[in-house]
Amino acid sequence: MAAKKRRTLPWIALALWIGVLALAGPLAGKLADVQQNRQVDYLPGNADSTQVAKIQDQMPGGEATELVLVYQRDGGLTAKDKAEAARQVDKVAADHKLANEPKGIPSEDGSTLMYPVSSTEPGQDDEALAAFVDEVRQVVQGGDGLTAEVGGQGGLTADAKEVFKSLDGPLLYTTVAVVAILLIIIYRSPLLWLVPLVVAGVADALSMAVTYGLHQGFDITVSGQSQGVMTILVFGAGTDYALLIISRYREELRRKERPYDAMASALRGCGPAVLASSGTVAAGMLCLLAADLNSSRSMGPMAAVGVLCALVAMMTLLPALLVLFGRRVFWPLIPAFGSAPKQRKSLFAAMGSSAGRRPIAVLVTGAAVLGALALGSFSLPGDLKQEDTFTSKPESVTAMATLAEAYPEKSSQPIVVIAPTGEAKKALGTARTTEGVVGAERGRSTGSWTEIAVLAKGAPQSAAETATIEALRERLPDSYVGGPSAQALDLETTSARDTKIIVPLVLLAILVILVALLRSLVAPLMLIGAVVAVWGASVGIGGLVFDSLLGFEGTDPGLPLLSFVFLVALGVDYGIFLMHRMREESLAGADPSAAALTSLRTTGGVIASAGLVLAATFGVLMSMPMVALAELGFVIAIGVLLDTFLVRTYLVTSASVALGRKVWWPGPLSKEPAAGHEVLPEPDKQPAGAH
């Protein structure tokens, strides 16, 4: 019976996964079609700007698309230029249904002419908006020294849509290539690297299918940003789990004759750590459901789905494939039954020994380094403005740059006030007399609500315009104040609010899981403290390089929260791998110092490999054309490297040695030595996962 089970169970698992993939494939392909990348799709639930967008959707034609047609000539516009601009604007008005009569506003130096244009023609459809903007751009053309560009919120939204459409393919291909190269280097096998990569690809397809189902069933928002992060997480975390499982499987193949038995032992040995690791990450991600910011709230379940799909695939499909391939999958470095691993000096044994000799000195030095790096966070550039959201410069961005230079004291996009229709006349008068307002016009109406377009003196997202928005909200308590700049302000405010609420939730959720796994309070607190320090240092490094080296002129408001959630959840992963092995050694009878050093020696190689893979996958985000993604990828990649090569290797090991049995307080391991023989460290023994 046992022999039959060994033969059939891997084939059954493979058949089930083929069936799952057949069902998931078509659904996964539909996920890109339901992406929502408008600014309103990222907004906080209860903010004024969100209510404005919702009410505009109910108005005739839906939410208005705001464009600014910009004509500019160095040295000043000629009469011919102005006539041509007027002709083109008239054609736009004739070809499309506009909500306003475009009027040219010249700059003081006469070099620039802008025409604010508002239209409800595209409605809420992303494709229709992109087509509308493209048609306007075909009409608005320069030449002979005259530049003509289409900017405004509608132009930015259309350009962002094109950027997000371009993310899916390059992001996936680059991630796969990076992971493949690292796995080939790690395994030095022509076949083995392909197995976890294929399994990760299957997990990614499954995660997209499940996410599509969640969108259809629960209407969760799917954005290009959240889908990209989910793909990165599937490949990064999934490959980490594969590295741990394969490393333990290789060990067991030297002890067990049959691959099936070796895999069963490997899963029994590392399975709890992998389950706890994935559970920790998923729990941390699900804490984002408490966010008021829609983009953060929707990313939570998507990230959790990605991690859990990676877990299921790596715990079922990966073992099945490895068992079916047998030992030959490791060729040319095949672990023979009864053989001993090749003896060679272990880097991690040497590092552990140095940490073990002077643990307090290592702890103080490491803490000082992390603290000094964290000070760099005070150098972070200000909040990211709309025109700085792309790493490249699409037409909408260059148009806004032209406007900012030509109209330093004038806004190029309206502030939208939605007032009760019965109070619209009074609201219009109040808006016109508000400090910082240069004009206001009454717009559309639903019967219950009336739209008022307000033009501020201050440039978009400047301190002056922000003050005007806040003044309007104070003076019009029964109205809603929105528009692009108000949306950016609400994103910033809500991100700060979400951080204060979600950070404690994440820490509490992870603490509970760690306490249950490690049967200790001290060890979990030590691990959490370490990853929080890593997060601070990583953000600090970002503050030192974002503007000066990378050319990012602002910081995404969501960066602190998202980087914290990802770094804490993922960083604790490696702590789990290390401390779980340390607990095994302690239960086997090793004294605290020996358990800590043996744990580092046996898991150091696989943790280093996993850290490199995870850092590289998130580093892929830096090649994407969105500043928010590039900043998130940089901070997480740097944090993972710090966690892998400084915190896990030196600080956690040193703290464990310094604390001794107190690290397991109040569990039984803290009170008396476990029965059995003592396991002494062997500095020259190779780390797990090496060949």
Side-chain angles (χ1 to χ4, degrees):
M1 180 65 70
K4 183 178 180 181
K5 183 179 181 181
R6 286 194 293 267
R7 290 194 302 268
T8 60
L9 194 57
W11 286 109
I12 292 173
L14 180 59
L16 288 174
W17 271 103
I18 291 174
V20 167
L21 194 58
L23 294 173
L27 297 178
K30 296 180 179 180
L31 188 61
D33 297 333
V34 298
Q35 281 187 13
Q36 297 168 276
N37 294 309
R38 296 184 304 165
Q39 184 80 352
V40 67
D41 299 318
Y42 289 75
L43 292 178
N46 299 316
D48 261 28
S49 56
T50 308
Q51 302 307 313
V52 167
K54 289 180 178 178
I55 294 172
Q56 283 185 317
D57 285 344
Q58 301 167 9
M59 288 182 169
E63 183 182 7
T65 297
E66 307 290 346
L67 300 179
V68 182
L69 315 186
V70 185
Y71 296 88
Q72 191 266 344
R73 180 186 289 275
D74 293 336
L77 293 169
T78 65
K80 183 179 178 182
D81 293 335
K82 296 174 183 178
E84 178 61 19
R87 186 192 68 77
Q88 293 181 8
V89 172
D90 288 342
K91 180 168 176 53
V92 170
D95 293 345
H96 302 281
K97 182 181 178 182
L98 302 185
N100 71 322
E101 182 181 347
K103 296 180 180 179
I105 303 174
S107 63
E108 288 188 6
D109 63 3
S111 67
T112 310
L113 187 63
M114 73 169 175
Y115 285 86
V117 171
S118 179
S119 175
T120 58
E121 182 178 303
Q124 303 174 46
D125 184 80
D126 283 351
E127 297 299 330
L129 184 147
F132 169 71
V133 173
D134 184 60
E135 289 171 9
V136 172
R137 283 175 170 165
Q138 290 179 22
V139 174
V140 178
Q141 299 288 330
D144 295 327
L146 174 68
T147 62
E149 298 170 318
V150 177
Q153 185 60 34
L156 284 168
T157 301
D159 289 336
K161 177 70 176 177
E162 288 301 309
V163 167
F164 280 119
K165 283 173 64 177
S166 71
L167 286 182
D168 297 338
L171 180 63
L172 178 60
Y173 305 148
T174 307
T175 302
V176 169
V178 167
V179 173
I181 291 170
L182 288 174
L183 288 176
I184 291 171
I185 294 172
I186 291 168
Y187 288 132
R188 288 173 286 168
S189 167
L191 178 60
L192 182 57
W193 66 273
L194 192 58
V195 179
L197 193 63
V198 169
V199 175
V202 171
D204 187 45
L206 178 61
S207 68
M208 289 193 289
V210 173
T211 300
Y212 179 77
L214 290 176
H215 171 78
Q216 295 297 101
F218 301 96
D219 198 31
I220 70 167
T221 300
V222 178
S223 67
Q225 182 187 52
S226 57
Q227 185 177 339
V229 169
M230 182 178 71
T231 293
I232 289 290
L233 200 55
V234 169
F235 277 90
T239 305
D240 280 5
Y241 303 150
L243 287 167
L244 190 67
I245 292 169
I246 292 173
S247 173
R248 195 63 175 258
Y249 177 53
R250 187 199 306 275
E251 290 182 28
E252 297 299 332
L253 282 172
R254 301 184 188 278
R255 304 186 187 109
K256 308 284 185 181
E257 184 176 3
R258 296 183 178 89
Y260 180 92
D261 297 332
M263 180 58 72
S265 295
L267 292 177
R268 282 195 298 270
C270 67
V274 174
L275 288 170
S277 169
S278 59
T280 300
V281 178
M285 297 301 138
L286 288 175
C287 289
L288 287 171
L289 286 170
D292 191 32
L293 199 61
N294 195 29
S295 55
S296 297
R297 186 171 63 250
S298 64
M299 188 178 289
M302 289 185 66
V305 164
V307 169
L308 295 177
C309 287
L311 169 71
V312 172
M314 293 303 172
M315 290 289 284
T316 57
L317 179 58
L318 177 68
L321 291 174
L322 291 174
V323 169
L324 290 174
F325 281 121
R327 296 177 187 272
R328 60 185 176 272
V329 75
F330 290 95
W331 185 87
L333 302 170
I334 299 175
F337 172 58
S339 66
K342 181 181 178 182
Q343 299 294 316
R344 64 183 183 184
K345 188 174 181 180
S346 167
L347 171 65
F348 292 96
M351 296 170 76
S353 297
S354 65
R357 283 194 299 270
R358 292 179 291 275
I360 300 300
V362 171
L363 273 176
V364 172
T365 302
V369 170
L370 293 177
L373 290 174
L375 294 176
S377 60
F378 293 105
S379 299
L380 283 169
D383 289 318
L384 192 67
K385 294 184 178 181
Q386 291 171 315
E387 61 265 29
D388 298 325
T389 55
F390 305 99
T391 56
S392 59
K393 301 293 183 184
E395 182 177 331
S396 58
V397 171
T398 58
M400 293 187 72
T402 300
L403 291 171
E405 183 177 352
Y407 303 87
E409 299 298 329
K410 187 184 293 293
S411 179
S412 58
Q413 58 189 19
I415 299 168
V416 180
V417 174
I418 299 293
T421 297
E423 301 179 17
K425 184 176 180 180
K426 179 181 177 182
L428 181 62
T430 301
R432 286 172 173 168
T433 59
T434 299
E435 185 177 356
V437 172
V438 295
E441 295 182 4
R442 185 167 177 161
R444 299 169 296 167
S445 177
T446 63
S448 300
W449 299 96
T450 296
E451 179 184 77
I452 298 171
V454 178
L455 199 63
K457 292 180 182 178
Q461 291 185 258
S462 64
E465 190 194 38
T466 298
T468 302
I469 292 171
E470 292 172 343
L472 286 168
R473 287 177 171 174
E474 183 178 349
R475 299 189 67 196
L476 297 170
D478 297 327
S479 302
Y480 297 113
V481 179
S485 295
Q487 291 172 1
L489 176 61
D490 290 338
L491 286 172
E492 176 189 347
T493 303
T494 307
S495 293
R497 171 262 177 201
D498 286 348
T499 300
K500 293 178 182 178
I501 292 176
I502 293 173
V503 164
L505 283 178
V506 171
L507 294 176
L508 180 61
I510 292 177
L511 180 63
V512 169
I513 294 175
L514 290 178
V515 169
L517 176 71
L518 301 176
R519 315 293 170 83
S520 164
L521 281 176
V522 175
L525 289 173
M526 178 178 69
L527 292 179
I528 288 177
V531 293
V532 170
V534 165
W535 170 74
S538 304
V539 174
I541 294 174
L544 297 174
V545 305
F546 278 171
D547 187 17
S548 59
L549 293 181
L550 302 179
F552 300 156
E553 298 181 17
T555 304
D556 181 61
L559 177 66
L561 176 60
L562 293 180
S563 62
F564 179 87
V565 173
F566 278 96
L567 269 181
V568 170
L570 294 170
V572 167
D573 261 15
Y574 301 144
I576 289 174
F577 296 161
L578 186 69
M579 297 301 291
H580 185 265
R581 188 61 179 255
M582 191 183 302
R583 191 169 188 275
E584 281 188 75
E585 297 295 335
S586 298
L587 288 171
D591 66 55
S593 178
L597 299 181
T598 301
S599 175
L600 177 61
R601 189 190 68 242
T602 54
T603 64
V606 70
I607 288 178
S609 300
L612 286 172
V613 170
L614 191 62
T617 52
F618 272 96
V620 169
L621 290 175
M622 293 185 64
S623 67
M624 298 297 106
M626 301 293 293
V627 170
L629 288 177
E631 290 179 339
L632 182 64
F634 177 87
V635 170
I636 295 178
I638 289 295
V640 168
L641 292 176
L642 283 175
D643 190 78
T644 302
F645 294 102
L646 174 61
V647 173
R648 295 297 143 230
T649 305
Y650 283 110
L651 302 191
V652 171
T653 301
S654 298
S656 300
V657 172
L659 289 169
R661 294 194 181 279
K662 293 178 183 177
V663 78
W664 303 114
W665 185 88
L669 286 175
S670 67
K671 299 173 183 177
E672 56 181 300
H677 66 282
E678 184 173 330
V679 181
L680 297 176
E682 304 171 41
D684 60 342
K685 186 177 180 181
Q686 80 169 45
H691 303 287

